């Protein structure tokens, strides 16, 4: 029994990265990697909160609101800015026990490039995730993610600026994700990650006001899982580069659905808020699934969907 | 962590005791627990509750039933396992050299009970100013010297607890104020304290997701930018808060 | 007390329709109006299952699959076709006690027009809802709903073919619903309804197969409510014509959120499956909200959001 | 409708009795109840269950715990209110002039218990052929003449129940078959009956939303197009079903 347990190889390799397991902490839900004390090491990798060129205060509160099986956030990319990130946050991650992926967002194409250049030789950064899909900011954000040409331009700028693997994070707020995925892949992205949050809104009916200070926000959590899986399925069919699947993953079964659809790895975000130990149960459950299916490596799950 | 007992002590307010040696040992007044309440009608997020009291290896929270989560909480019976993260957040910093004035509004008594207990244990003599809308809303609390006020005068002095505070501050030179309650009460408390040069700590609320400073969701406007209620607070020096922000949790 | 209860006027009027209450049964969830025996009369109006020119068998089973706080369907517009609808289904609705809205979908613009013409003088049809947003069919369906020009062309064809009020039902699977809403309004639509379902997918991990026979489906139910509200909010800001809000409404509070955002009425779909009496509790709860807010008419809720 | 009792009769199979005079009076064998199970982990849809038995004003369902909904069902205790729509669907049509052969596979015994009871009450002498994987999977059922088979031979005859059926059909000229169980068993049953010219009714399953024929979600492929399991079924004349469809509920 113990022998069989040991036999499952959870590691996955893609885009020049090697992760000890396929469960990654999603950007914005794991801070700068140290807030959940000691938890980083349980993940195959962690993606840090989106950093921008200048520090950002973020949007007016309330910034959160619950929905059925989900939540809305309108954080607005509150972050310390690239310089403080490099100076204070990144060093604190040394020895965190896992692969660190830095997530960036710019106001324009040039800023994306500049951020990538600044990270290129930063110690401890294994890859860059490019956020072109934040629903909560006016500039940059989801507008880039909805336009194949703009998405490609950002990708090219980032690729030119760094030798690190570049993962581009796509928005689900499009009628078809395939053209965006193809444009980004053609522009040289090493991998895609999707989805970011869906546009959403709630109203406080007694006060007759939006529940969020910023009026609208991004929907995450189990509620969006089927939508995320749909887009991941489509993206995997559209491009040859690796895809990281996320959106509403709360259980190992959810993670396996994304991998079967073609994801090389998964990210979990909201699930960590609900249960910081989710990463462990998801990783353990993926191993259990491999055992049931007679697979020896988690990587064999990827693309196993028959349809 | 398991429920030891759970009882409604008012029609809409319950108190639940848990047993956890580790939590009871680490807990400090003003900190909170982040609770996962199962089956709360597809509400997925944890709920934050101030630590209300600690006795031995037992730890209590005092909750007002306002929605699905607290309703589910009120249904937990003895023995039920509860998934808790904590203790979290910045506690009250007791200033031993200053006579403590503890100001509570309604359910705001929740974290202050524990604070009063620890102050008393340290030989301090806190005075509690406790304000409620009406007699029936008053909640049990430690027997310390106190002045109760009700907005309608049905118990104790009539009027707002902040009016009582204005009087007390004058009588207790060098006092320090510790407060929890609704925003308008805290704002007035902060104003009074600033005016009289009295140090003042407040416990604030905001909707939370992570509870550990990772998501930036529980932002509260400070005088120098946003602060997180979970990580920079929930207890703040009143001077660091922007009291003009419109607040809605 | 009784007097105060009677005082709330739940009726709403828009686009030439007058409904006794603002709760409408959503297309595809209430069959041809008679399956839920006696329930039709509880609604302010019912929208019948989408009819097409020829009968449609629908997609391969399984056609349903549950998701957290939601469900996927891939019915594929299974319906009896316009002729059997007029011959068998419509007469059965005579005396059903509420307003009947017929929902149509065509394979091309001309077919939409032909269907509308056929319904124009059909006895008992008060309005036509034009489905340009079905996610489960190859032709027509959501493709029309994602393209402002195509959506406008369909609208014009239907308007030319009928004197009945025309409601155009929009898809949420777009990066911005405003241009579609504006194009449809400019083409003469009398009202909009939104949203239809979101694209979604699930996988049966043990069998490694899609959970739905048609691979992908449409997501409905409480999970999508914040997304629906977002689009309704945007559409209401984009156009001057009345908007009917739907998507995940399960409670009166949900319905009020849509009305505050600007909806003149709401539809409920999946909620009826969960609880056939939902229409009653939603209508009753809207009245309760009016009472709490000191309003005498439900119509006063519409557009009451302050932001 | 309230739970009268709810007990596990096998590790994974429970039986719950409800009290409802109206339902008990209307129910006919083969019909189903559409149940709303609260707090089933954000699973929103109702769950369909065949009517297992009716005694006086009590009505039973027999359920196998396979997921969140049936797990929540197994947690209901006596007195709990349950939200039910029903009885729904087309029942078995008993053919009084033909000796009844009732074929059950595993949990497929659920609707047949009620059928057997009504047949017996009408003076018919049904013979039950009941097949299970193994001895421990056998479920209690009415004492009628019967032949039990287990795939592993641990109880009764060894082998598939359809093998027993093939033998019985020969012995009972003019019989009618009533069957419920897994798809392969029903397919083989239908094949045998068609071959021998025996009328055969089967109870089928499909995932359901409305349960009343309004959504077209529970489609089953018939020989002349799709049929709805809830409204055209769940009991079908076996000849109207396309037995070559790949089935996955
Ligand atoms: C640090 C902290 C300590 C707290 N301590 C206590 C305590 O000791 N006792 C107590 O009764 N309550 C306390 N609260 C408030 C408590 O967390 C909420 O009342 C609870 O989360 C509501 O959950 P619900 O599901 O019942 O209500 P919901 O249905 O979620 O909401 C009902 C109402 O409560 C408001 N609400 C929701 N979440 C929060 C939140 N995180 N903070 C404030 N309001 C919220 C909503 O805006 C809404 O108006 C505290 C909050 C914080 C942030
Ligand atoms: C007309 C009819 C009568 C039925 N009678 C009985 C009965 O008497 N006793 C009994 O134990 N079960 C019966 N079933 C099956 C029962 O409805 C499902 O087992 C139940 O809905 C599963 O709910 P769950 O939440 O526990 O499982 P889920 O977590 O929803 O699913 C677990 C597994 O059950 C399957 N399943 C889900 N819904 C259905 C469904 N509607 N029909 C068939 N399989 C489903 C899923 O595909 C999955 O493989 C009947 C089904 C139908 C359609
Ligand atoms: C509070 C919060 C903050 C987020 N911040 C970011 C961010 O800064 N950058 C980013 O790329 N995604 C951000 N996201 C999106 C998540 O990374 C993820 O794409 C999304 O939440 C869907 O996954 P989930 O359902 O597992 O949470 C944020 C999500 C949440 C809930
Ligand atoms: C089973 C099912 C069938 C549907 N069929 C149709 C249809 O034929 N035509 C249509 O316009 N919308 C159809 N819809 C979409 C609904 O009318 C509605 O837009 C959607 O379900 C969102 O609302 P809800 O969350 O309240 O269900 C269908 C939805 C479901 C769940
Ligand atoms: S709740 Fe996440 S930062 Fe405070
Ligand atoms: S479940 Fe809706 S038609 Fe059968």
């Amino acid at each position: 029994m113990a022998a069989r347990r040991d036999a499952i190889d959870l590691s996955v390799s893609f885009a020049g990265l090697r992760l000890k397991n396929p469960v990654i902490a999603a950007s914005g839900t794991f801070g700068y990697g140290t807030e959940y004390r000691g938890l980083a090491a349980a993940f195959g990798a962690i993606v840090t909160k989106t950093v921008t060129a200048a520090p950002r205060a973020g949007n007016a509160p309330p910034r959160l609101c619950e929905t059925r099986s989900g939540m809305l956030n309108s954080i607005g990319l509150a972050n310390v800015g690239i310089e403080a990130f490099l100076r204070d946050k990144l060093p604190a991650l040394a020895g965190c026990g896992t692969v660190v992926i830095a997530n960036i967002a710019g106001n324009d194409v040039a800023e994306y490039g500049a951020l990538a250049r600044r990270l290129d030789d930063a110690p401890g950064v294994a890859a860059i995730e490019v956020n072109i899909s934040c629903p909560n900011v006016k500039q940059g954000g989801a507008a880039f993610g909805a336009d194949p040409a703009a998405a490609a331009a950002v990708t090219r700028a980032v690729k030119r600026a760094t030798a690190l693997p570049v993962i581009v994070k796509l928005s689900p707020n499009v009628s078809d994700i395939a053209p965006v995925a193809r444009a980004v892949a053609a522009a040289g992205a090493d991998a895609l990650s999707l989805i970011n949050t869906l546009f959403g809104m709630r109203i406080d009916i007694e006060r007759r006001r939006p529940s969020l200070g910023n009026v609208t926000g991004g929907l995450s959590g189990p509620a969006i899982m089927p939508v995320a899986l749909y887009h991941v399925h489509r993206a995997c069919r559209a491009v040859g580069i690796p895809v990281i699947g996320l959106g509403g993953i709360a259980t190992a079964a959810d993670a396996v659905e994304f991998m079967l659809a073609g994801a090389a790895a998964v990210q979990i975000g909201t699930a960590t808020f609900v249960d910081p130990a989710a990463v462990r149960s998801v990783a353990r459950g993926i191993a259990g699934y491999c055992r049931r299916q007679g697979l020896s490596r988690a990587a064999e799950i990827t693309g196993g969907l028959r349809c | 962590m398991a429920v030891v007992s759970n009882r409604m002590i008012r029609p809409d307010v319950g108190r639940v005791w848990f047993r956890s040696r580790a939590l009871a040992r680490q807990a400090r007044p003003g900190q909170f627990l982040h609770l996962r309440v199962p089956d709360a009608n597809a509400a997925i997020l944890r709920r934050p509750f101030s630590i209300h009291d600690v006795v031995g290896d037992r730890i209590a929270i005092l909750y007002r039933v306002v929605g699905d989560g607290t309703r589910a909480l009120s249904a937990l019976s003895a023995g039920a396992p509860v998934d808790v993260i904590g203790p979290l957040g910045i506690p009250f910093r007791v200033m031993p050299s200053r006579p403590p004035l503890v100001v509570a509004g309604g359910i705001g008594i929740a974290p202050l009970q524990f604070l009063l207990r620890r102050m008393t244990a340290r030989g301090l003599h806190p005075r509690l100013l406790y304000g409620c809308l009406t007699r029936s809303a008053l909640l049990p609390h430690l027997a310390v010297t106190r002045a109760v006020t009700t907005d309608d005068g049905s118990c104790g002095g009539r009027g707002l607890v902040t009016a009582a505070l204005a009087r007390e501050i004058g009588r207790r030179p060098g006092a320090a104020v510790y407060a929890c309650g609704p925003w308008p009460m805290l704002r007035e408390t902060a104003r009074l304290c600033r005016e009289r040069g009295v140090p003042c700590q407040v416990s604030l609320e905001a909707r939370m997701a992570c509870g550990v400073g990772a998501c930036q969701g529980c932002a509260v406007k400070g005088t120098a930018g946003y602060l997180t209620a979970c990580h920079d607070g929930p207890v703040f020096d009143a001077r660091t808060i922007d009291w003009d922000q419109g607040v809605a949790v």
Side-chain angles (χ1 to χ4, degrees), chain A, chain B:
Chain A
M1 193 68 185
R4 279 199 73 205
R5 275 183 193 278
D6 292 341
I8 306 297
D9 175 8
L10 278 178
S11 73
V12 294
S13 299
F14 61 91
L17 297 168
R18 187 185 152 85
L19 314 189
K20 64 187 167 201
N21 73 53
V23 189
I24 304 172
S27 180
T29 66
F30 207 67
Y32 299 106
T34 56
E35 292 82 355
Y36 281 100
R37 263 172 295 161
L39 197 62
F43 286 93
I46 61 170
V47 186
T48 52
K49 172 76 186 166
T50 294
V51 285
T52 51
R56 287 179 63 99
N59 288 326
R63 290 179 179 178
L64 300 175
C65 151
E66 230 175 352
T67 70
R68 269 147 299 180
S69 294
M71 60 173 285
L72 289 170
N73 88 78
S74 60
I75 309 296
L77 297 187
N79 79 94
V80 297
I82 185 73
E83 296 310 326
F85 176 75
L86 291 169
R87 188 182 61 234
D88 306 332
K89 302 298 181 183
L90 209 46
L93 279 172
C96 73
T98 194
V99 170
V100 175
I101 301 171
N103 178 302
I104 58 170
N107 285 325
D108 51 40
V109 172
E111 210 170 275
Y112 275 101
L115 285 161
R117 200 165 303 114
R118 208 66 192 80
L119 285 165
D120 185 46
D121 55 359
V125 174
I128 296 177
E129 185 177 66
V130 185
N131 180 359
I132 55 166
S133 45
C134 179
N136 293 321
V137 294
K138 292 257 150 42
Q139 285 182 304
F144 282 112
D147 174 2
V154 169
T155 306
R156 269 191 303 270
V158 171
K159 276 301 285 180
R160 266 200 300 267
T162 181
L164 291 170
V166 171
I167 304 160
V168 180
K169 184 165 179 181
L170 304 186
S171 167
N173 300 301
V174 293
S175 28
D176 186 359
I177 211 160
V180 188
R182 276 192 293 263
V184 166
D190 299 289
L192 303 177
S193 58
L194 58 138
I195 60 172
N196 209 315
T197 53
L198 286 163
F199 290 129
M201 179 176 177
R202 289 299 302 268
I203 292 172
D204 177 336
I205 65 171
E206 304 304 333
R207 298 169 56 249
R208 301 198 206 176
R209 291 204 181 274
S211 298
L212 296 172
N214 198 43
V215 182
T216 66
L219 184 65
S220 64
I224 70 168
M225 186 275 187
V227 178
L229 186 67
Y230 169 86
H231 289 298
V232 167
H233 174 73
R234 273 189 81 80
C236 288
R237 253 132 233 264
V239 300
I241 58 174
V243 170
I244 303 171
L246 74 151
I249 297 176
T251 67
D254 295 337
V256 169
E257 289 190 47
F258 281 86
M259 294 180 73
L260 287 172
V266 296
Q267 296 184 9
I268 62 175
T270 302
T272 299
F273 301 154
V274 177
D275 178 12
V279 51
R280 296 202 177 89
S281 60
V282 170
R284 210 181 307 121
I286 292 172
Y289 177 78
C290 288
R291 233 167 265 131
R292 284 203 306 283
Q293 294 274 328
L295 309 175
S296 58
R297 305 184 316 115
E300 292 169 44
I301 304 172
T302 297
L305 179 68
R306 305 183 269 229
C307 72
Chain B
M1 196 166 94
V3 172
V4 176
S5 70
N6 189 12
R7 246 199 312 277
M8 300 311 288
I9 57 175
R10 288 282 176 275
D12 62 336
V13 177
R15 183 171 47 203
V16 54
W17 283 95
F18 306 102
R19 191 178 318 276
S20 164
R21 189 168 304 277
L23 282 186
R25 191 173 311 131
Q26 293 165 48
R28 297 175 60 193
Q31 289 188 304
F32 67 95
L33 302 180
H34 213 23
L35 246 81
R36 188 169 173 197
V37 189
D39 294 333
N41 215 350
I44 58 168
L45 294 178
R46 286 172 182 269
R47 268 51 185 156
F49 294 95
S50 298
I51 297 168
H52 176 55
D53 210 351
V54 173
V55 176
D57 63 354
R58 295 181 313 144
I59 185 162
I61 64 176
L62 188 77
Y63 57 90
R64 193 150 63 95
V65 177
V66 297
D68 286 327
T70 42
R71 203 168 303 122
L73 184 57
S74 71
L76 291 180
S77 39
V82 174
D83 178 350
V84 171
I85 310 179
L88 297 173
I90 304 289
F92 285 106
R93 275 134 302 186
V94 175
M95 301 173 154
S97 61
R98 292 178 172 270
L101 274 175
V102 176
V103 190
I107 187 79
I109 190 72
L112 301 175
Q113 163 90 339
F114 185 25
L115 178 67
L116 291 168
R117 187 184 291 284
R118 285 289 159 94
M119 283 175 164
T120 308
R122 288 173 69 174
L124 296 175
H125 299 283
R127 180 162 172 79
L128 169 65
L129 309 178
Y130 183 25
C132 266
L133 282 175
T134 184
R135 175 185 209 100
S136 63
L138 286 166
L139 294 162
H141 49 270
L142 279 190
V144 295
T145 66
R146 65 176 178 261
V148 166
T149 53
T150 47
D151 295 11
D152 65 1
S154 55
C155 181
R158 184 200 188 93
L160 299 176
V161 69
T162 43
L165 174 65
R167 291 190 298 272
E168 284 293 334
I169 285 184
R171 289 187 206 137
R172 292 216 160 189
V177 166
Y178 309 82
C180 185
W183 182 263
M185 179 206 107
L186 294 178
R187 186 176 47 207
E188 177 61 9
T189 299
R191 197 192 60 76
L192 279 169
C193 290
R194 154 153 300 210
E195 208 175 80
R196 314 283 182 95
V198 174
C200 172
Q201 294 169 47
V202 293
S203 171
L204 297 185
E205 291 192 1
R207 291 190 214 141
M208 290 183 178
C210 70
V212 301
C215 75
Q216 305 294 317
C218 61
V220 171
K221 210 171 185 178
T223 49
Y226 287 114
L227 301 162
T228 58
C230 69
H231 193 67
D232 302 321
V235 176
F236 294 95
D237 181 328
R239 286 167 308 179
T240 63
I241 300 302
D242 172 358
W243 291 102
D244 293 329
Q245 65 196 292
V247 156
V249 278

